[in-house]
Structures are given as structure tokens and as C-alpha cells.
């Protein structure tokens, strides 16, 4: 009897997990599309990167205090290097209706294709009246901080 109960529970969890993954497929496509043009918008230095963030978004870059609001986020990107970034989504969590958490890896290269960094990303996406936007964006390198 115990084996049947455990087997039934495992089947239920598997079907629930599959259903949740299917529910997130449309959101995943939106996030993948947004991630694909992220660096391009950041490199423009014209504020267009802000179209990917909620009005009350916060950016959590490594080795610094959080940056909240459009002005602080824009300043971060305006002072950054010109790069290409590729994101590889590992997992998505959430209900797929109001919010989703993205767990990804990134690889950053200069404009000539030379690798600069790789690391991990956690983004909380929020479904707004204007579509899916980044609400909290945290990333860090897989490598030790460089000393000055």
C-alpha cells in the first residue's frame, strides 16, 4: 500500500511539474526575446534599455549597492563598456500570470568576440500593463573580483 501511495504521489508531482513548465513556455519566449536584445539596447546609451524594466525596478550589480529607479539604472548602463551578452535560461519559476523568476547563466564578450566574463543571473519578471518587464535584476561573475 505504501508503494502505491508513494508512486501515486510521484506521478502527481511529475504531472504538476510538466503542467507548470508548459504554462511558462509563452513567458519563456518573451524573456528569451528580451534577453536577446538586452545588450544591444544597453549599448545605445539612449535610455532604451529602460523599456525592459518596470518603473520601480532595482538592479543589483556585484560589489555595489542596489540601484533603484530609472535614473540610477540608466546611469549604470551609460557608464558601462560596450559588450555582447548571451543569456542561457536554466529555470523559470512562478505562476506565469503575474510574476516569473528567471535563473540564467550569462557570457559576456567585447564587440570583437573576446570573452570578458561569465556568471549567473536571477531576474524577477513582472507582468505589467505593457507586458513582461524586469522588476529585480541581480547578477554576479563566476570569477573573483579583480583587485585594483
Amino acid at each position: 500500500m505504501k508503494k502505491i501511495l508513494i508512486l501515486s504521489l510521484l506521478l502527481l508531482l511529475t504531472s504538476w511539474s510538466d503542467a507548470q513548465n508548459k504554462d511558462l513556455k509563452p513567458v519563456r519566449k518573451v524573456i528569451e526575446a528580451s534577453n536577446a536584445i538586452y545588450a544591444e539596447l544597453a549599448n545605445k546609451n539612449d535610455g532604451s534599455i529602460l523599456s525592459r524594466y518596470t518603473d520601480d525596478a532595482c538592479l543589483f550589480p556585484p560589489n555595489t549597492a542596489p540601484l533603484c529607479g530609472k535614473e540610477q539604472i540608466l546611469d549604470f548602463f551609460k557608464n558601462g563598456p560596450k559588450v555582447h551578452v548571451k543569456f542561457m535560461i536554466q529555470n523559470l519559476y512562478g505562476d506565469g500570470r503575474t510574476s516569473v523568476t528567471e535563473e540564467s547563466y550569462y557570457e559576456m564578450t567585447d564587440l570583437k568576440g573576446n570573452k570578458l566574463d561569465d556568471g549567473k543571473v536571477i531576474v524577477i519578471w513582472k507582468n505589467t500593463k505593457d507586458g513582461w518587464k524586469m522588476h529585480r535584476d541581480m547578477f554576479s561573475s563566476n570569477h573573483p573580483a579583480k583587485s585594483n
Side-chain angles (χ1 to χ4, degrees):
M1 183 68 163
K2 264 187 174 179
K3 288 181 181 179
I4 291 173
L5 183 60
I6 291 172
L7 201 55
S8 296
L9 182 60
L10 287 174
L11 287 172
L12 179 64
L13 287 173
T14 301
S15 65
W16 176 77
S17 176
D18 287 345
Q20 196 170 32
N21 286 338
K22 288 177 187 170
D23 291 344
L24 295 177
K25 281 185 181 180
V27 178
R28 183 183 184 106
K29 288 182 180 182
V30 170
I31 291 171
E32 286 173 341
S34 183
N35 285 347
I37 61 172
Y38 185 84
E40 178 185 325
L41 294 178
N43 288 341
K44 286 184 175 181
N45 287 339
D46 65 1
S48 57
I49 188 70
L50 295 175
S51 67
R52 299 292 176 223
Y53 288 93
T54 61
D55 291 337
D56 57 344
C58 290
L59 182 67
F60 297 90
N63 308 314
T64 188
L67 306 170
C68 294
K70 291 183 179 243
E71 187 176 313
Q72 288 186 350
I73 293 171
L74 186 58
D75 284 346
F76 174 83
F77 287 108
K78 280 192 172 186
N79 295 321
K82 303 279 190 226
V83 296
H84 291 293
V85 182
K86 179 181 177 186
F87 298 95
M88 288 85 40
I89 296 174
Q90 301 304 301
N91 293 296
L92 292 178
Y93 310 96
D95 64 15
R97 293 182 311 276
T98 59
S99 66
V100 171
T101 301
E102 169 193 2
E103 175 187 329
S104 290
Y105 294 123
Y106 73 84
E107 185 174 284
M108 185 185 307
T109 62
D110 63 19
L111 298 181
K112 295 178 182 177
N114 300 309
K115 186 174 177 179
L116 299 172
D117 193 19
D118 59 90
K120 57 264 177 211
V121 179
I122 297 287
V123 178
I124 299 173
W125 292 82
K126 193 174 180 181
N127 196 0
T128 72
K129 65 179 175 54
D130 298 318
W132 288 96
K133 306 283 183 176
M134 290 184 284
H135 185 58
R136 298 293 184 264
D137 182 3
M138 177 180 274
F139 60 95
S140 63
S141 175
N142 286 336
H143 307 281
K146 295 178 181 171
S147 57
N148 295 339

